[in-house]
Amino acid sequence: MVDPTSELEEDVDEESAPSCATCGEPALGTGHRTVTWVDGDDVVHRHFCSEACREDWDDERPSAER
C-alpha cells in the first residue's frame, strides 16, 4: 500500500492520493497538508491539497478541554 502522507511521495498518483477535504481534488505534492486527531479510540485524518484549502476547512475537531 502506498502511504499518501509520505514525505517522499513515491508512487503516489492522482488515483491513489487521498481527496482534499475541502475541494475534493487529489491531495498530493508539496502543497499537501494533513490534520490528524484522536476521537475516542479512532485516529481521524483530513487531507488537503493546499494550505488555502486547509484554512478554508470547516474544522470538525472537538474542542480541546483544558
Side-chain angles (χ1 to χ4, degrees), residues 4-5 9 17-37 44-61:
T5 63
E9 299 179 16
S19 297
C20 176
T22 302
C23 72
E25 292 295 317
L28 52 80
T30 58
H32 179 211
R33 301 288 183 261
T34 304
V35 174
T36 305
W37 69 96
V44 183
H45 306 277
R46 293 296 178 264
H47 298 273
F48 305 93
C49 63
S50 67
E51 185 62 32
C53 277
R54 163 62 184 93
E55 290 173 5
D56 289 344
W57 174 53
D58 185 18
D59 196 333
E60 65 200 77
R61 295 175 290 181

Side-chain angles (χ1 to χ4, degrees), residues 1-13 16-18 27-28 32 34 45 47:
M1 176 178 154
V2 174
D3 178 5
T5 63
S6 169
E7 290 182 0
L8 299 176
E9 299 179 16
E10 293 178 5
D11 300 325
V12 177
D13 57 19
S16 60
L28 52 80
H32 179 211
T34 304
H45 306 277
H47 298 273

